[in-house]
């Protein structure tokens, strides 16, 4: 038997009986194994060699054109009690769900190899880490899991150890690419059974089951019952000229700037003073209170699956540097001399688009808007060795944010934890190419977890509130919007490296060194509180970036109130009361002429 753990061997046997593969391969995670997988895929055409002079060991994968992003329509949470999944999730009865998807798995690996991938999310020795085993028939998934997780023999040893002592149970994650039919692309989660079943996609979060399915959907469920948080957040360390490093976790929805903020290079003036940025994670954050009352965070991943378009020397030089070798690209275009290319990279003209056709602008962008790179985390020049710290890093600030062309100012600070939880719960964002079937231009995306929270959002908000305990030293909470647009339709804020200016203000709020002005929606920096030197922003742009229109915000709060009311009895009273406090403050601040009731009251 390949494993010391009977429960694991039995499960692998059962899956093999159902799916009927020609071969079973237990992954050891070695370089040799990776090399053999790549060679095999080069033969079948699953991978295409890129220019090995400019990009050693870089390969291109072209996915099925119907399979280019996460899908949400058939992503379901299967719990005994429908209410536990909440109105934020698709729900199915577990027995019905198993029956439906098991029928699809019947014989689906005939003629293929079945890979068994033991993996660990988080540092191998960390008490905060969790393990799983993914079974898949896709060598592309195996290669990606090798870059994205701690995969192979060491993970299996931890699984066996924990399995034998009963204090930890591994996640059983079953995947098959099936026939890639979008109508049968089920991604099912059984949090009560620590089980994931995904069929019909080979792409990203649909297929690399350690990522969204385990680390976020099942992870958030486990986090709730065990007193921690599993979040869609980057983790970044900011070192000041005094050599102190403070860590920030930030939740932005898919394709809204996490990777960029995590790898930020400070503007020239900051670098001269000695400011530095350290990347701990770019997508997922697990955190829990330490003995000292602070929140400690680990990045459960070991690699980045990042958005390619828009990545350039100007916007994200760190990312560009790490993509020069040992990278798998998915759905990017290629140049005449076979280098990877995407919109926003530079002004070369691509030769072939993401589907391998001769490039023709009439066919749309050359690289798919959700084209991505997979690369090991430690290839990033700003990679923080603290990413391997078993205890995690202490978090001083939590940042929420989304893409909002109007209404939402560059940055504001929540008054306290409860207000911060409301700010997170109230988030909204324009939707992006990261999911294909959302169908609205803007949507509520609490804590950037709409597609990823494995249980009822009402209960999730209550869980967040529950961290406010005596003795807790919780992070300060902020909200940012890099995406506000002026009348000319252009972004008002330069973004990217210049976001450092906003981070500096936040950290100086944490230490009490920076000022702010109180408003009904929270505390905002004044012009003099933020270092805007050398930016050349006109007064008009500045005013617009910081403008809070109380009447617009009253409308926003009405929409937020209606949204939150959708969680019914699960919505914590404390959150509702906090919402009412903001509404009252906005009403009190509104011009008397703005509300007829006030006019009448004033007249009597
Ligand atoms: P997921 O991996 O999907 O969870 O996304 P992410 O949040 O890591 O997204 P990423 O950082 O890759 O951002 C994707 C898009 O946002 C790219 O097109 C970037 O160019 C753009 N972007 C990131 N930061 C900024 C910014 O500060 N300003 C502007 N205008 N655009 C930005
Ligand atoms: C996201 O959509 O938030 C991602 C990409 O990080 S995927 O792994 O495909 O979900
Ligand atoms: Mn993500």
């Amino acid at each position: 038997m390949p494993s010391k753990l009977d429960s694991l061997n039995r499960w692998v046997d059962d899956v093999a009986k159902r799916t009927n593969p020609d071969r079973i391969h237990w992954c050891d995670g070695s370089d040799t194994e990776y090399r053999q997988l790549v060679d095999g895929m080069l033969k079948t055409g699953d991978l295409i060699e890129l220019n090995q002079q400019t990009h050693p060991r870089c390969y291109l994968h072209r996915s099925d054109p119907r399979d280019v992003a996460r899908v949400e329509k058939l992503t379901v949470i299967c719990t005994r009690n429908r209410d536990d999944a909440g109105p934020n999730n698709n729900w199915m009865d577990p027995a019905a769900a198993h029956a439906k998807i098991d029928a699809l798995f019947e014989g689906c690996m005939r003629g293929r190899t079945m890979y068994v991938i033991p993996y660990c999310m988080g540092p191998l020795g960390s008490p905060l880490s969790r393990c799983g085993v993914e079974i898949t028939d896709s060598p592309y998934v195996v290669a990606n899991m090798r870059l994205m997780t701690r995969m192979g023999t060491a993970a299996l040893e931890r699984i066996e150890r924990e399995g034998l002592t009963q204090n930890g149970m591994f996640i059983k994650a079953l995947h098959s690419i099936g026939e890639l039919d979008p109508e049968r692309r089920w991604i099912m989660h059984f949090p009560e059974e620590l089980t994931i079943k995904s069929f019909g996609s080979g792409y990203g979060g649909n297929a690399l089951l350690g990522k969204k399915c385990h680390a976020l959907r099942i992870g958030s469920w486990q986090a709730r019952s065990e007193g921690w948080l599993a979040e869609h957040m980057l983790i970044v360390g900011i070192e000041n000229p005094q050599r102190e490093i403070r860590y920030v976790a930030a939740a932005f929805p898919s394709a809204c700037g996490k990777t960029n903020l995590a790898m930020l290079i400070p503007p020239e003036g900051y670098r001269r003073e000695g400011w530095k940025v350290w990347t701990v994670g770019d997508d997922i954050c697990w955190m829990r209170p330490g003995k000292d009352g602070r929140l400690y965070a680990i990045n459960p991943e070991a690699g980045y699956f990042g958005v390619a378009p828009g990545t350039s020397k100007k916007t994200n030089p760190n990312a560009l540097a790490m993509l020069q070798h040992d990278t798998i690209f998915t759905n990017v275009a290629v140049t005449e001399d076979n280098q990877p290319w995407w919109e926003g990279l530079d002004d070369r003209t691509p030769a072939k688009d993401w589907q391998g056709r001769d490039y023709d602008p009439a066919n749309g962008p050359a690289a798919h808007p959700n084209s991505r790179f997979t690369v090991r985390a430690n290839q990033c020049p700003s990679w923080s060795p603290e990413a391997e710290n078993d205890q995690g890093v202490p978090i001083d600030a939590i940042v929420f944010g989304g893409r909002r062309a109007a209404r939402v100012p560059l940055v504001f600070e929540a008054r306290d934890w409860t207000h911060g939880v409301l700010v997170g719960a109230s988030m909204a964002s324009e939707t992006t190419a990261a999911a294909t079937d959302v169908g609205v231009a803007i949507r509520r995306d609490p804590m950037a977890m709409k597609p990823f929270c494995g249980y009822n959002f009402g209960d999730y908000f209550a869980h967040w509130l529950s961290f406010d305990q005596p003795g807790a030293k919780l992070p300060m909470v902020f909200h940012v919007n890099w995406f506000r647009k002026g009348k000319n339709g252009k972004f008002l804020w330069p973004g990217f490296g210049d976001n450092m200016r906003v981070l500096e203000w936040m950290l100086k709020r944490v230490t009490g060194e920076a000022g702010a002005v109180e408003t009904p929606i929270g505390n905002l920096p004044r012009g003099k509180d933020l270092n805007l030197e050398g930016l050349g922003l006109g007064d008009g742009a500045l005013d617009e970036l910081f403008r809070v229109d109380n009447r617009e915000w009253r409308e926003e709060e009405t929409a937020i109130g209606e949204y939150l009311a959708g969680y019914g009895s699960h919505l914590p009273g404390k959150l509702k009361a906090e919402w009412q406090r903001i509404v009252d403050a906005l009403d009190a601040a509104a011009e008397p002429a703005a509300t007829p009731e006030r006019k009448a009251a004033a007249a009597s």
Side-chain angles (χ1 to χ4, degrees), residues 232 254-260 283 307 372 403 483 495-496 499:
H232 191 204
S254 301
C256 288
K258 287 185 300 301
T259 302
N260 282 272
D283 197 47
V307 177
R372 298 210 172 221
R403 273 179 198 262
F483 300 94
F496 304 105
N499 294 334

Side-chain angles (χ1 to χ4, degrees), residues 300-327:
E301 300 190 280
Y304 311 116
F305 183 63
V307 177
T311 307
S312 74
K313 246 193 167 118
K314 257 180 133 163
T315 59
N316 193 348
N318 276 329
L320 209 60
M322 76 182 172
L323 302 179
Q324 300 309 302
H325 63 99
D326 298 281
T327 304

Side-chain angles (χ1 to χ4, degrees), residues 203-330:
Y203 197 90
N206 298 337
L208 314 177
L209 302 185
K211 194 171 177 59
K212 305 299 182 174
C213 299
H214 176 167
L216 288 178
R217 298 198 189 95
I218 303 274
S220 60
W221 177 285
Q222 293 183 307
R224 182 195 174 206
S225 62
E226 298 168 12
W228 49 285
L229 290 164
E231 299 299 324
H232 191 204
M233 291 177 174
L234 66 93
I235 308 167
V236 66
I238 317 285
E239 180 173 335
N240 66 18
Q242 291 77 48
R243 297 266 166 278
E244 298 157 333
I245 306 181
R246 292 200 168 74
Y247 293 90
V248 174
F252 309 151
S254 301
C256 288
K258 287 185 300 301
T259 302
N260 282 272
L261 193 69
M263 297 173 189
L264 169 155
I265 294 189
E268 161 86 58
Y270 278 86
R271 273 177 290 158
R272 232 181 302 124
E273 286 177 24
W275 291 86
K276 257 197 215 130
V277 167
W278 298 97
T279 309
V280 179
D282 85 326
D283 197 47
I284 300 179
C285 165
W286 285 355
M287 38 186 181
R288 71 166 68 207
K291 287 199 181 72
D292 59 0
R294 301 173 82 186
L295 287 184
Y296 284 80
I298 62 164
N299 170 15
E301 300 190 280
Y304 311 116
F305 183 63
V307 177
T311 307
S312 74
K313 246 193 167 118
K314 257 180 133 163
T315 59
N316 193 348
N318 276 329
L320 209 60
M322 76 182 172
L323 302 179
Q324 300 309 302
H325 63 99
D326 298 281
T327 304
I328 298 176
F329 293 90
T330 300

Side-chain angles (χ1 to χ4, degrees), residues 441-562:
I442 184 162
R443 71 165 168 181
R444 297 276 149 214
D445 192 348
M447 281 84 167
M449 285 287 278
K450 166 70 188 73
F452 308 121
C453 182
Y455 63 101
N456 193 312
F457 257 149
D459 300 334
Y460 173 78
F461 302 146
H463 182 52
W464 264 82
L465 290 169
S466 75
F467 287 84
D468 196 358
Q469 301 273 339
K473 295 196 187 72
L474 294 168
M476 287 179 74
V477 179
F478 299 87
H479 188 282
V480 299
N481 177 24
W482 315 137
F483 300 94
R484 197 168 192 172
K485 288 183 177 167
K487 286 198 190 71
N488 60 5
K490 294 209 169 113
F491 292 123
L492 289 159
W493 179 247
F496 304 105
D498 285 310
N499 294 334
M500 180 66 212
R501 300 166 190 275
V502 177
L503 289 172
E504 181 194 12
W505 176 73
M506 290 174 185
L507 294 177
K508 289 194 165 162
R509 289 295 293 167
V510 167
T511 54
E513 293 165 83
V517 59
E518 282 181 36
T519 81
I521 67 159
N523 305 328
L524 268 78
R526 293 152 297 193
K528 62 172 180 169
D529 296 317
L530 213 55
N531 172 14
L532 301 171
E533 218 177 281
L535 267 187
L537 286 179
D539 282 350
L542 266 187
D543 290 347
E544 189 57 23
L545 268 172
F546 292 109
R547 192 169 62 85
V548 176
D549 182 320
N550 286 339
R551 211 163 329 160
E552 279 177 8
W553 269 93
R554 187 61 182 84
E555 274 170 38
E556 182 81 15
E557 292 299 338
T558 301
I560 291 167
E562 282 164 11

Side-chain angles (χ1 to χ4, degrees), residues 399-476:
V399 185
F400 295 119
R403 273 179 198 262
R404 297 293 298 268
R407 197 171 284 181
V408 182
L410 180 66
V411 58
F412 61 93
E413 170 195 292
R415 298 158 33 116
D416 57 17
W417 185 255
T418 304
H419 183 207
V421 173
L422 178 66
V423 168
S426 307
M427 271 170 63
S429 187
E430 289 145 31
T431 49
T432 66
T436 47
D437 56 349
V438 177
V440 290
I442 184 162
R443 71 165 168 181
R444 297 276 149 214
D445 192 348
M447 281 84 167
M449 285 287 278
K450 166 70 188 73
F452 308 121
C453 182
Y455 63 101
N456 193 312
F457 257 149
D459 300 334
Y460 173 78
F461 302 146
H463 182 52
W464 264 82
L465 290 169
S466 75
F467 287 84
D468 196 358
Q469 301 273 339
K473 295 196 187 72
L474 294 168
M476 287 179 74

